[in-house]
Amino acid sequence: MNADVIVVGAGPTGLLLAAELGLAGVRAVVVERLTRRSGQSKALGIQPRSAEALELRGLLEPLMDRAIQRVPGGHFAGLRLDYTAWNTRHPYAIGIPQGRVEALLEERLGELDVEVLRGHELTALSQDADGVEATLLGPGGESRLTARFLVGCDGGRSTVRGLLGVGFPGLDGKLLSVVADITISDPDGAVPETWTLPVMTPDKTGKGYIAPIGDGVHRFLFYGAEQQRLSRDAPITEEEVRRALHHEFGRGVRLTGVRWASRFTDASRQVERYRHGRVLLAGDAAHIHSPSGGQGLNLGLQDAFNLGWKLAAEIRGWAHDGLLDTYHAERHPVAARVLANTRAQAVLLVHDEENLALRGIVEELLRVPEANRIVAGMISGLDIRHDLPGRPHHLLGRHVPDLDLVTASGPGRVARLLRDGRGLLLTTADEAAFAEAAEPWSARIGRAHAQAELGADAVLVRPDGYVCWAGSAADVSGLADALARWAGAPSTRAATAARHA
C-alpha cells in the first residue's frame, strides 16, 4: 500500500481528517486537483461546537489569530440567536474566510508530515476486500495510489461519489442567490465597517448582506426577483452586482471590482450511506444545503473529527467490528437535521406575503428565551447528542464540558487533556478503582484525576470529545464495557500486568 488512507479533496473537511489521521500515526495522503488554494473566501464562519473541537487539538488559538472577529450569538434566517444560554466557552460565531482555515490546517499537516498531492485529479477507483486503488491524472501523466481506505471529501459535485455510482437524493433549490467578493468605494459610510450578524427582514424585492473580510474586500450576498429569473449557469456581471448593491445601500456606494462571484441555490441533498465498503464520504460529498445559518463548513469539520479517530483505530487494528460504522450512524442524523433547518430558513427568506407573515410569527417565537435556546443549540451544534449505549446519564452522548480543573500537576482544563488525540478517563472520586479498571487500555486512554464538579465520579471521553460513559465506582463493569466498545480489546501486556498487580 502507498498509504493507509487516501483523502480526496483539500478543503477543510479533507485537511482536518488528514490531520486527525496523522496525529494517530496513520499514513494519509491528500489528493487535490487544484494546484493551489483558490483564494476565494467561500465559507466564513466557525460555530461554537466546531470551536470546541478545534480547541481539543490546540488549533483554536492560531485560528483566532487569523480571524476577522468574533460575533456574539448566531442567526436563523437573519433572526438573532443567543448562544450564551448554552454551557460553552465559545458563545459566538468566528468570522474567518475558509481559505485561512485551510491554510492553518495545511500547516498542521506539514508538522505531521502528511503529504498533499496538488494538481492530481481522481479519474477512477476500485476496491476489494484488502484495499482501494485510485487512478490519478497529474502533471506527469497517469499514476495509481493504493491504500486500505479512501475518503471522498471533494465537495458537492464529488468525483468519488460519482465513481461509486451513489445516488444523491434530496430537493432541488427554489431560491437562487449570488455571493461575491467585491471591493467598493463608500464615502458616505453606508456599508458597515465591522462584521455584523446578517439580521435582516426580506421584502418583495429581495435582500442583501455585506461584511468586510479583510484587505479591503467585502463579502456581498444578495437575492431578489432578478436572480429568480436567471438560470444557475448565467454569468454574473458587474452590472448585476452593482444593481443589488445600490438597491440595498444606495447609489453612494460604488462598486470598484468583483474578485469572485458564484450563484447558489437552497438545494439540499444527502447520500443514504456514508460508508461503501472501503470508501467513505464526508463533508459536502455526503450532504449539501443552503448556507443559511452558517453551518456548512462546520458540518464537514465535525464529520472529519468524528471519522478520523475511528478510521485510525480500524487501521491500527484495535477497533471493534462495528466502530467504523458508527461514523454513519452518528453523523447522518446530524446532517439530516441541518438539511431540515436550512430548508425551513429558506422558506423564511422567500419574498412573498405568505412567507413574510410566517417569518413574523417565527420572529416572535424566537423572543421567547427557551425557544431561542432550542434553535441556538441546533444552529451552533451545541445540542448534538449521540445515541450511545450504556447506563443513562445526562452527560452520555454529549460533548464533555470544558471545565476548569485542579489536577495533581496543577490547574488545567478538560480540553487541554485531549490534545494527543487519545480518549480520556477523567475521575473526581475513587481514583484507584477506576485506574485499575482502565489500566489495560492505558496506551489508548489518558487518565487524569481532578477536583471538579462533573455530576459523576468519572467520565470516559472519546478522542472527539464526546462522553461515552459516566458513572460511579459501583459501575466499574460498565466502564470496562465502554472501554472495550470505544477503545478496543485491552492490551495483552497491560492486562497481564494488571492481573499480577
PDB file of all heavy atoms in Angstrom, residues 46-58 60 86-92 94 302 305 380-382 399-402 413 415 418 464-466:
ATOM      1  N   ILE A  46     -17.084  29.954  11.807  1.00  0.00           N
ATOM      2  CA  ILE A  46     -16.890  28.801  12.684  1.00  0.00           C
ATOM      3  C   ILE A  46     -17.892  28.916  13.829  1.00  0.00           C
ATOM      4  O   ILE A  46     -17.934  29.923  14.539  1.00  0.00           O
ATOM      5  CB  ILE A  46     -15.460  28.764  13.250  1.00  0.00           C
ATOM      6  CG1 ILE A  46     -14.435  28.612  12.128  1.00  0.00           C
ATOM      7  CG2 ILE A  46     -15.311  27.652  14.279  1.00  0.00           C
ATOM      8  CD1 ILE A  46     -14.465  27.274  11.430  1.00  0.00           C
ATOM      9  N   GLN A  47     -18.700  27.873  13.996  1.00  0.00           N
ATOM     10  CA  GLN A  47     -19.712  27.852  15.046  1.00  0.00           C
ATOM     11  C   GLN A  47     -19.121  27.330  16.365  1.00  0.00           C
ATOM     12  O   GLN A  47     -18.052  26.708  16.378  1.00  0.00           O
ATOM     13  CB  GLN A  47     -20.890  26.976  14.617  1.00  0.00           C
ATOM     14  CG  GLN A  47     -21.667  27.496  13.417  1.00  0.00           C
ATOM     15  CD  GLN A  47     -22.614  28.633  13.780  1.00  0.00           C
ATOM     16  OE1 GLN A  47     -22.663  29.098  14.908  1.00  0.00           O
ATOM     17  NE2 GLN A  47     -23.389  29.083  12.801  1.00  0.00           N
ATOM     18  N   PRO A  48     -19.821  27.552  17.497  1.00  0.00           N
ATOM     19  CA  PRO A  48     -19.277  27.168  18.799  1.00  0.00           C
ATOM     20  C   PRO A  48     -18.846  25.707  18.910  1.00  0.00           C
ATOM     21  O   PRO A  48     -17.796  25.415  19.481  1.00  0.00           O
ATOM     22  CB  PRO A  48     -20.428  27.479  19.753  1.00  0.00           C
ATOM     23  CG  PRO A  48     -21.119  28.639  19.120  1.00  0.00           C
ATOM     24  CD  PRO A  48     -21.059  28.368  17.648  1.00  0.00           C
ATOM     25  N   ARG A  49     -19.637  24.769  18.393  1.00  0.00           N
ATOM     26  CA  ARG A  49     -19.254  23.361  18.534  1.00  0.00           C
ATOM     27  C   ARG A  49     -17.962  23.072  17.776  1.00  0.00           C
ATOM     28  O   ARG A  49     -17.113  22.296  18.248  1.00  0.00           O
ATOM     29  CB  ARG A  49     -20.377  22.444  18.040  1.00  0.00           C
ATOM     30  CG  ARG A  49     -20.044  20.967  18.144  1.00  0.00           C
ATOM     31  CD  ARG A  49     -19.839  20.530  19.595  1.00  0.00           C
ATOM     32  NE  ARG A  49     -19.136  19.261  19.650  1.00  0.00           N
ATOM     33  CZ  ARG A  49     -17.849  19.124  19.858  1.00  0.00           C
ATOM     34  NH1 ARG A  49     -17.086  20.188  20.048  1.00  0.00           N
ATOM     35  NH2 ARG A  49     -17.285  17.932  19.902  1.00  0.00           N
ATOM     36  N   SER A  50     -17.768  23.681  16.626  1.00  0.00           N
ATOM     37  CA  SER A  50     -16.517  23.499  15.890  1.00  0.00           C
ATOM     38  C   SER A  50     -15.353  24.145  16.626  1.00  0.00           C
ATOM     39  O   SER A  50     -14.243  23.610  16.641  1.00  0.00           O
ATOM     40  CB  SER A  50     -16.635  24.087  14.482  1.00  0.00           C
ATOM     41  OG  SER A  50     -17.608  23.402  13.732  1.00  0.00           O
ATOM     42  N   ALA A  51     -15.607  25.297  17.247  1.00  0.00           N
ATOM     43  CA  ALA A  51     -14.558  25.949  18.036  1.00  0.00           C
ATOM     44  C   ALA A  51     -14.120  25.029  19.168  1.00  0.00           C
ATOM     45  O   ALA A  51     -12.917  24.897  19.456  1.00  0.00           O
ATOM     46  CB  ALA A  51     -15.058  27.277  18.584  1.00  0.00           C
ATOM     47  N   GLU A  52     -15.070  24.365  19.821  1.00  0.00           N
ATOM     48  CA  GLU A  52     -14.728  23.427  20.886  1.00  0.00           C
ATOM     49  C   GLU A  52     -13.869  22.281  20.362  1.00  0.00           C
ATOM     50  O   GLU A  52     -12.879  21.881  20.988  1.00  0.00           O
ATOM     51  CB  GLU A  52     -16.005  22.874  21.518  1.00  0.00           C
ATOM     52  CG  GLU A  52     -16.810  23.889  22.308  1.00  0.00           C
ATOM     53  CD  GLU A  52     -18.089  23.312  22.863  1.00  0.00           C
ATOM     54  OE1 GLU A  52     -18.550  22.252  22.364  1.00  0.00           O
ATOM     55  OE2 GLU A  52     -18.651  23.908  23.800  1.00  0.00           O
ATOM     56  N   ALA A  53     -14.250  21.746  19.197  1.00  0.00           N
ATOM     57  CA  ALA A  53     -13.487  20.635  18.624  1.00  0.00           C
ATOM     58  C   ALA A  53     -12.074  21.064  18.264  1.00  0.00           C
ATOM     59  O   ALA A  53     -11.100  20.353  18.544  1.00  0.00           O
ATOM     60  CB  ALA A  53     -14.215  20.096  17.389  1.00  0.00           C
ATOM     61  N   LEU A  54     -11.924  22.224  17.641  1.00  0.00           N
ATOM     62  CA  LEU A  54     -10.595  22.703  17.270  1.00  0.00           C
ATOM     63  C   LEU A  54      -9.734  22.945  18.501  1.00  0.00           C
ATOM     64  O   LEU A  54      -8.519  22.716  18.483  1.00  0.00           O
ATOM     65  CB  LEU A  54     -10.718  23.971  16.433  1.00  0.00           C
ATOM     66  CG  LEU A  54     -11.342  23.787  15.044  1.00  0.00           C
ATOM     67  CD1 LEU A  54     -11.660  25.135  14.418  1.00  0.00           C
ATOM     68  CD2 LEU A  54     -10.430  22.972  14.137  1.00  0.00           C
ATOM     69  N   GLU A  55     -10.361  23.394  19.591  1.00  0.00           N
ATOM     70  CA  GLU A  55      -9.589  23.628  20.809  1.00  0.00           C
ATOM     71  C   GLU A  55      -9.057  22.323  21.386  1.00  0.00           C
ATOM     72  O   GLU A  55      -7.995  22.302  22.027  1.00  0.00           O
ATOM     73  CB  GLU A  55     -10.431  24.362  21.849  1.00  0.00           C
ATOM     74  CG  GLU A  55      -9.625  24.770  23.064  1.00  0.00           C
ATOM     75  CD  GLU A  55     -10.224  25.909  23.852  1.00  0.00           C
ATOM     76  OE1 GLU A  55     -11.465  25.998  23.898  1.00  0.00           O
ATOM     77  OE2 GLU A  55      -9.457  26.700  24.407  1.00  0.00           O
ATOM     78  N   LEU A  56      -9.744  21.220  21.179  1.00  0.00           N
ATOM     79  CA  LEU A  56      -9.253  19.935  21.664  1.00  0.00           C
ATOM     80  C   LEU A  56      -7.905  19.572  21.064  1.00  0.00           C
ATOM     81  O   LEU A  56      -7.163  18.754  21.614  1.00  0.00           O
ATOM     82  CB  LEU A  56     -10.256  18.823  21.349  1.00  0.00           C
ATOM     83  CG  LEU A  56     -11.627  18.869  22.025  1.00  0.00           C
ATOM     84  CD1 LEU A  56     -12.426  17.630  21.667  1.00  0.00           C
ATOM     85  CD2 LEU A  56     -11.514  19.025  23.521  1.00  0.00           C
ATOM     86  N   ARG A  57      -7.578  20.122  19.908  1.00  0.00           N
ATOM     87  CA  ARG A  57      -6.310  19.816  19.241  1.00  0.00           C
ATOM     88  C   ARG A  57      -5.349  21.004  19.238  1.00  0.00           C
ATOM     89  O   ARG A  57      -4.343  20.997  18.524  1.00  0.00           O
ATOM     90  CB  ARG A  57      -6.572  19.362  17.804  1.00  0.00           C
ATOM     91  CG  ARG A  57      -7.419  18.124  17.685  1.00  0.00           C
ATOM     92  CD  ARG A  57      -6.751  16.896  18.312  1.00  0.00           C
ATOM     93  NE  ARG A  57      -7.554  15.712  18.062  1.00  0.00           N
ATOM     94  CZ  ARG A  57      -8.428  15.197  18.928  1.00  0.00           C
ATOM     95  NH1 ARG A  57      -8.585  15.764  20.129  1.00  0.00           N
ATOM     96  NH2 ARG A  57      -9.118  14.120  18.622  1.00  0.00           N
ATOM     97  N   GLY A  58      -5.666  22.047  19.988  1.00  0.00           N
ATOM     98  CA  GLY A  58      -4.777  23.190  20.044  1.00  0.00           C
ATOM     99  C   GLY A  58      -4.807  24.060  18.805  1.00  0.00           C
ATOM    100  O   GLY A  58      -3.884  24.849  18.566  1.00  0.00           O
ATOM    101  N   LEU A  60      -7.510  26.159  17.979  1.00  0.00           N
ATOM    102  CA  LEU A  60      -8.388  27.327  18.066  1.00  0.00           C
ATOM    103  C   LEU A  60      -7.603  28.621  18.226  1.00  0.00           C
ATOM    104  O   LEU A  60      -7.929  29.629  17.583  1.00  0.00           O
ATOM    105  CB  LEU A  60      -9.380  27.164  19.217  1.00  0.00           C
ATOM    106  CG  LEU A  60     -10.396  28.298  19.350  1.00  0.00           C
ATOM    107  CD1 LEU A  60     -11.238  28.426  18.089  1.00  0.00           C
ATOM    108  CD2 LEU A  60     -11.292  28.089  20.567  1.00  0.00           C
ATOM    109  N   TRP A  86     -26.211  28.370  26.361  1.00  0.00           N
ATOM    110  CA  TRP A  86     -25.594  27.042  26.362  1.00  0.00           C
ATOM    111  C   TRP A  86     -24.279  27.076  27.125  1.00  0.00           C
ATOM    112  O   TRP A  86     -23.587  28.092  27.151  1.00  0.00           O
ATOM    113  CB  TRP A  86     -25.359  26.558  24.932  1.00  0.00           C
ATOM    114  CG  TRP A  86     -26.640  26.162  24.269  1.00  0.00           C
ATOM    115  CD1 TRP A  86     -27.507  26.982  23.614  1.00  0.00           C
ATOM    116  CD2 TRP A  86     -27.212  24.867  24.244  1.00  0.00           C
ATOM    117  NE1 TRP A  86     -28.595  26.274  23.167  1.00  0.00           N
ATOM    118  CE2 TRP A  86     -28.438  24.968  23.544  1.00  0.00           C
ATOM    119  CE3 TRP A  86     -26.817  23.626  24.739  1.00  0.00           C
ATOM    120  CZ2 TRP A  86     -29.258  23.866  23.336  1.00  0.00           C
ATOM    121  CZ3 TRP A  86     -27.639  22.536  24.526  1.00  0.00           C
ATOM    122  CH2 TRP A  86     -28.845  22.655  23.828  1.00  0.00           C
ATOM    123  N   ASN A  87     -23.926  25.948  27.716  1.00  0.00           N
ATOM    124  CA  ASN A  87     -22.705  25.836  28.512  1.00  0.00           C
ATOM    125  C   ASN A  87     -21.509  25.661  27.588  1.00  0.00           C
ATOM    126  O   ASN A  87     -21.146  24.548  27.216  1.00  0.00           O
ATOM    127  CB  ASN A  87     -22.811  24.654  29.480  1.00  0.00           C
ATOM    128  CG  ASN A  87     -21.554  24.489  30.334  1.00  0.00           C
ATOM    129  OD1 ASN A  87     -20.778  25.430  30.483  1.00  0.00           O
ATOM    130  ND2 ASN A  87     -21.366  23.301  30.882  1.00  0.00           N
ATOM    131  N   THR A  88     -20.896  26.761  27.192  1.00  0.00           N
ATOM    132  CA  THR A  88     -19.738  26.718  26.305  1.00  0.00           C
ATOM    133  C   THR A  88     -18.837  27.903  26.595  1.00  0.00           C
ATOM    134  O   THR A  88     -19.303  28.967  27.009  1.00  0.00           O
ATOM    135  CB  THR A  88     -20.165  26.743  24.818  1.00  0.00           C
ATOM    136  OG1 THR A  88     -18.995  26.721  23.988  1.00  0.00           O
ATOM    137  CG2 THR A  88     -20.985  27.984  24.489  1.00  0.00           C
ATOM    138  N   ARG A  89     -17.565  27.720  26.362  1.00  0.00           N
ATOM    139  CA  ARG A  89     -16.627  28.838  26.470  1.00  0.00           C
ATOM    140  C   ARG A  89     -16.679  29.726  25.232  1.00  0.00           C
ATOM    141  O   ARG A  89     -16.055  30.790  25.195  1.00  0.00           O
ATOM    142  CB  ARG A  89     -15.192  28.315  26.638  1.00  0.00           C
ATOM    143  CG  ARG A  89     -14.915  27.663  27.980  1.00  0.00           C
ATOM    144  CD  ARG A  89     -13.459  27.233  28.073  1.00  0.00           C
ATOM    145  NE  ARG A  89     -13.188  26.541  29.321  1.00  0.00           N
ATOM    146  CZ  ARG A  89     -12.788  27.150  30.438  1.00  0.00           C
ATOM    147  NH1 ARG A  89     -12.614  28.464  30.438  1.00  0.00           N
ATOM    148  NH2 ARG A  89     -12.555  26.443  31.531  1.00  0.00           N
ATOM    149  N   HIS A  90     -17.397  29.296  24.216  1.00  0.00           N
ATOM    150  CA  HIS A  90     -17.358  29.991  22.925  1.00  0.00           C
ATOM    151  C   HIS A  90     -18.766  30.315  22.423  1.00  0.00           C
ATOM    152  O   HIS A  90     -19.212  29.774  21.409  1.00  0.00           O
ATOM    153  CB  HIS A  90     -16.612  29.127  21.899  1.00  0.00           C
ATOM    154  CG  HIS A  90     -15.330  28.572  22.417  1.00  0.00           C
ATOM    155  ND1 HIS A  90     -14.228  29.354  22.651  1.00  0.00           N
ATOM    156  CD2 HIS A  90     -14.985  27.301  22.793  1.00  0.00           C
ATOM    157  CE1 HIS A  90     -13.246  28.601  23.128  1.00  0.00           C
ATOM    158  NE2 HIS A  90     -13.686  27.360  23.221  1.00  0.00           N
ATOM    159  N   PRO A  91     -19.486  31.215  23.114  1.00  0.00           N
ATOM    160  CA  PRO A  91     -20.863  31.536  22.705  1.00  0.00           C
ATOM    161  C   PRO A  91     -20.916  32.577  21.587  1.00  0.00           C
ATOM    162  O   PRO A  91     -21.573  33.599  21.703  1.00  0.00           O
ATOM    163  CB  PRO A  91     -21.465  32.060  24.008  1.00  0.00           C
ATOM    164  CG  PRO A  91     -20.316  32.744  24.682  1.00  0.00           C
ATOM    165  CD  PRO A  91     -19.109  31.914  24.365  1.00  0.00           C
ATOM    166  N   TYR A  92     -20.187  32.306  20.525  1.00  0.00           N
ATOM    167  CA  TYR A  92     -20.082  33.277  19.433  1.00  0.00           C
ATOM    168  C   TYR A  92     -19.744  32.548  18.134  1.00  0.00           C
ATOM    169  O   TYR A  92     -19.282  31.404  18.139  1.00  0.00           O
ATOM    170  CB  TYR A  92     -18.983  34.307  19.745  1.00  0.00           C
ATOM    171  CG  TYR A  92     -17.688  33.699  20.233  1.00  0.00           C
ATOM    172  CD1 TYR A  92     -16.803  33.074  19.363  1.00  0.00           C
ATOM    173  CD2 TYR A  92     -17.361  33.719  21.590  1.00  0.00           C
ATOM    174  CE1 TYR A  92     -15.626  32.500  19.813  1.00  0.00           C
ATOM    175  CE2 TYR A  92     -16.187  33.147  22.059  1.00  0.00           C
ATOM    176  CZ  TYR A  92     -15.321  32.540  21.153  1.00  0.00           C
ATOM    177  OH  TYR A  92     -14.164  31.949  21.612  1.00  0.00           O
ATOM    178  N   ILE A  94     -17.273  32.733  14.834  1.00  0.00           N
ATOM    179  CA  ILE A  94     -15.966  33.282  14.486  1.00  0.00           C
ATOM    180  C   ILE A  94     -15.973  33.604  12.997  1.00  0.00           C
ATOM    181  O   ILE A  94     -16.148  32.713  12.163  1.00  0.00           O
ATOM    182  CB  ILE A  94     -14.842  32.289  14.795  1.00  0.00           C
ATOM    183  CG1 ILE A  94     -14.863  31.920  16.281  1.00  0.00           C
ATOM    184  CG2 ILE A  94     -13.482  32.872  14.406  1.00  0.00           C
ATOM    185  CD1 ILE A  94     -13.944  30.757  16.627  1.00  0.00           C
ATOM    186  N   GLN A 302     -16.866  18.656  11.531  1.00  0.00           N
ATOM    187  CA  GLN A 302     -17.271  17.709  12.565  1.00  0.00           C
ATOM    188  C   GLN A 302     -17.407  16.290  12.019  1.00  0.00           C
ATOM    189  O   GLN A 302     -17.206  15.313  12.741  1.00  0.00           O
ATOM    190  CB  GLN A 302     -18.553  18.196  13.229  1.00  0.00           C
ATOM    191  CG  GLN A 302     -18.311  19.447  14.066  1.00  0.00           C
ATOM    192  CD  GLN A 302     -19.583  20.116  14.536  1.00  0.00           C
ATOM    193  OE1 GLN A 302     -20.473  19.461  15.052  1.00  0.00           O
ATOM    194  NE2 GLN A 302     -19.684  21.419  14.342  1.00  0.00           N
ATOM    195  N   PHE A 305     -13.869  15.137  12.290  1.00  0.00           N
ATOM    196  CA  PHE A 305     -13.468  14.914  13.677  1.00  0.00           C
ATOM    197  C   PHE A 305     -14.046  13.610  14.210  1.00  0.00           C
ATOM    198  O   PHE A 305     -13.423  12.926  15.016  1.00  0.00           O
ATOM    199  CB  PHE A 305     -13.938  16.102  14.530  1.00  0.00           C
ATOM    200  CG  PHE A 305     -13.031  16.423  15.666  1.00  0.00           C
ATOM    201  CD1 PHE A 305     -11.724  16.811  15.441  1.00  0.00           C
ATOM    202  CD2 PHE A 305     -13.477  16.348  16.967  1.00  0.00           C
ATOM    203  CE1 PHE A 305     -10.873  17.100  16.498  1.00  0.00           C
ATOM    204  CE2 PHE A 305     -12.644  16.645  18.030  1.00  0.00           C
ATOM    205  CZ  PHE A 305     -11.333  17.018  17.797  1.00  0.00           C
ATOM    206  N   SER A 380     -25.785  26.172  16.326  1.00  0.00           N
ATOM    207  CA  SER A 380     -24.412  26.182  16.832  1.00  0.00           C
ATOM    208  C   SER A 380     -23.784  24.798  16.887  1.00  0.00           C
ATOM    209  O   SER A 380     -22.556  24.676  16.973  1.00  0.00           O
ATOM    210  CB  SER A 380     -24.386  26.785  18.242  1.00  0.00           C
ATOM    211  OG  SER A 380     -25.101  25.952  19.147  1.00  0.00           O
ATOM    212  N   GLY A 381     -24.615  23.756  16.872  1.00  0.00           N
ATOM    213  CA  GLY A 381     -24.122  22.393  17.049  1.00  0.00           C
ATOM    214  C   GLY A 381     -23.956  21.997  18.494  1.00  0.00           C
ATOM    215  O   GLY A 381     -23.550  20.860  18.794  1.00  0.00           O
ATOM    216  N   LEU A 382     -24.293  22.886  19.411  1.00  0.00           N
ATOM    217  CA  LEU A 382     -24.091  22.600  20.834  1.00  0.00           C
ATOM    218  C   LEU A 382     -25.107  21.611  21.396  1.00  0.00           C
ATOM    219  O   LEU A 382     -24.917  21.081  22.490  1.00  0.00           O
ATOM    220  CB  LEU A 382     -24.134  23.901  21.637  1.00  0.00           C
ATOM    221  CG  LEU A 382     -22.982  24.879  21.362  1.00  0.00           C
ATOM    222  CD1 LEU A 382     -23.250  26.216  22.042  1.00  0.00           C
ATOM    223  CD2 LEU A 382     -21.649  24.300  21.817  1.00  0.00           C
ATOM    224  N   HIS A 399     -21.021  16.327  24.338  1.00  0.00           N
ATOM    225  CA  HIS A 399     -19.649  16.783  24.391  1.00  0.00           C
ATOM    226  C   HIS A 399     -19.275  17.108  25.831  1.00  0.00           C
ATOM    227  O   HIS A 399     -20.051  17.734  26.550  1.00  0.00           O
ATOM    228  CB  HIS A 399     -19.480  18.035  23.523  1.00  0.00           C
ATOM    229  CG  HIS A 399     -18.073  18.506  23.438  1.00  0.00           C
ATOM    230  ND1 HIS A 399     -17.605  19.585  24.137  1.00  0.00           N
ATOM    231  CD2 HIS A 399     -17.020  18.040  22.728  1.00  0.00           C
ATOM    232  CE1 HIS A 399     -16.327  19.769  23.866  1.00  0.00           C
ATOM    233  NE2 HIS A 399     -15.948  18.842  23.015  1.00  0.00           N
ATOM    234  N   VAL A 400     -18.092  16.661  26.262  1.00  0.00           N
ATOM    235  CA  VAL A 400     -17.691  16.874  27.643  1.00  0.00           C
ATOM    236  C   VAL A 400     -17.524  18.367  27.906  1.00  0.00           C
ATOM    237  O   VAL A 400     -16.939  19.089  27.100  1.00  0.00           O
ATOM    238  CB  VAL A 400     -16.376  16.123  27.954  1.00  0.00           C
ATOM    239  CG1 VAL A 400     -15.200  16.650  27.144  1.00  0.00           C
ATOM    240  CG2 VAL A 400     -16.069  16.170  29.444  1.00  0.00           C
ATOM    241  N   PRO A 401     -18.048  18.891  29.011  1.00  0.00           N
ATOM    242  CA  PRO A 401     -17.861  20.318  29.316  1.00  0.00           C
ATOM    243  C   PRO A 401     -16.377  20.632  29.519  1.00  0.00           C
ATOM    244  O   PRO A 401     -15.640  19.859  30.125  1.00  0.00           O
ATOM    245  CB  PRO A 401     -18.646  20.494  30.626  1.00  0.00           C
ATOM    246  CG  PRO A 401     -19.571  19.317  30.707  1.00  0.00           C
ATOM    247  CD  PRO A 401     -18.880  18.202  30.005  1.00  0.00           C
ATOM    248  N   ASP A 402     -15.951  21.762  29.013  1.00  0.00           N
ATOM    249  CA  ASP A 402     -14.551  22.170  29.145  1.00  0.00           C
ATOM    250  C   ASP A 402     -14.369  22.880  30.493  1.00  0.00           C
ATOM    251  O   ASP A 402     -14.219  24.099  30.573  1.00  0.00           O
ATOM    252  CB  ASP A 402     -14.148  23.082  27.988  1.00  0.00           C
ATOM    253  CG  ASP A 402     -12.669  23.417  28.013  1.00  0.00           C
ATOM    254  OD1 ASP A 402     -11.910  22.718  28.718  1.00  0.00           O
ATOM    255  OD2 ASP A 402     -12.266  24.387  27.336  1.00  0.00           O
ATOM    256  N   ARG A 413      -7.504  22.516  32.155  1.00  0.00           N
ATOM    257  CA  ARG A 413      -8.845  22.469  31.560  1.00  0.00           C
ATOM    258  C   ARG A 413      -9.021  21.147  30.860  1.00  0.00           C
ATOM    259  O   ARG A 413      -8.043  20.547  30.373  1.00  0.00           O
ATOM    260  CB  ARG A 413      -9.023  23.624  30.563  1.00  0.00           C
ATOM    261  CG  ARG A 413      -9.287  24.966  31.218  1.00  0.00           C
ATOM    262  CD  ARG A 413      -9.179  26.096  30.220  1.00  0.00           C
ATOM    263  NE  ARG A 413      -9.919  25.833  29.000  1.00  0.00           N
ATOM    264  CZ  ARG A 413      -9.784  26.565  27.889  1.00  0.00           C
ATOM    265  NH1 ARG A 413      -8.959  27.596  27.880  1.00  0.00           N
ATOM    266  NH2 ARG A 413     -10.481  26.283  26.826  1.00  0.00           N
ATOM    267  N   ALA A 415     -10.283  20.435  27.930  1.00  0.00           N
ATOM    268  CA  ALA A 415      -9.924  20.424  26.504  1.00  0.00           C
ATOM    269  C   ALA A 415      -8.444  20.158  26.287  1.00  0.00           C
ATOM    270  O   ALA A 415      -8.048  19.508  25.323  1.00  0.00           O
ATOM    271  CB  ALA A 415     -10.325  21.749  25.857  1.00  0.00           C
ATOM    272  N   LEU A 418      -6.931  16.484  25.935  1.00  0.00           N
ATOM    273  CA  LEU A 418      -7.272  15.651  24.773  1.00  0.00           C
ATOM    274  C   LEU A 418      -6.427  15.977  23.548  1.00  0.00           C
ATOM    275  O   LEU A 418      -6.733  15.520  22.443  1.00  0.00           O
ATOM    276  CB  LEU A 418      -8.761  15.816  24.448  1.00  0.00           C
ATOM    277  CG  LEU A 418      -9.713  15.171  25.461  1.00  0.00           C
ATOM    278  CD1 LEU A 418     -11.075  15.836  25.429  1.00  0.00           C
ATOM    279  CD2 LEU A 418      -9.854  13.676  25.186  1.00  0.00           C
ATOM    280  N   ASP A 464     -12.932  12.384  20.196  1.00  0.00           N
ATOM    281  CA  ASP A 464     -13.631  13.524  19.607  1.00  0.00           C
ATOM    282  C   ASP A 464     -14.369  14.358  20.644  1.00  0.00           C
ATOM    283  O   ASP A 464     -15.125  15.272  20.297  1.00  0.00           O
ATOM    284  CB  ASP A 464     -14.600  13.072  18.512  1.00  0.00           C
ATOM    285  CG  ASP A 464     -15.654  12.079  18.997  1.00  0.00           C
ATOM    286  OD1 ASP A 464     -15.626  11.711  20.188  1.00  0.00           O
ATOM    287  OD2 ASP A 464     -16.494  11.673  18.176  1.00  0.00           O
ATOM    288  N   GLY A 465     -14.161  14.058  21.931  1.00  0.00           N
ATOM    289  CA  GLY A 465     -14.709  14.897  22.992  1.00  0.00           C
ATOM    290  C   GLY A 465     -16.069  14.499  23.503  1.00  0.00           C
ATOM    291  O   GLY A 465     -16.600  15.163  24.395  1.00  0.00           O
ATOM    292  N   TYR A 466     -16.659  13.420  22.985  1.00  0.00           N
ATOM    293  CA  TYR A 466     -17.986  13.012  23.433  1.00  0.00           C
ATOM    294  C   TYR A 466     -17.876  11.990  24.567  1.00  0.00           C
ATOM    295  O   TYR A 466     -17.053  11.075  24.534  1.00  0.00           O
ATOM    296  CB  TYR A 466     -18.807  12.450  22.270  1.00  0.00           C
ATOM    297  CG  TYR A 466     -19.312  13.551  21.374  1.00  0.00           C
ATOM    298  CD1 TYR A 466     -18.562  13.979  20.287  1.00  0.00           C
ATOM    299  CD2 TYR A 466     -20.510  14.207  21.645  1.00  0.00           C
ATOM    300  CE1 TYR A 466     -18.998  15.021  19.477  1.00  0.00           C
ATOM    301  CE2 TYR A 466     -20.955  15.243  20.845  1.00  0.00           C
ATOM    302  CZ  TYR A 466     -20.200  15.648  19.768  1.00  0.00           C
ATOM    303  OH  TYR A 466     -20.627  16.678  18.980  1.00  0.00           O
TER     304      TYR A 466
END
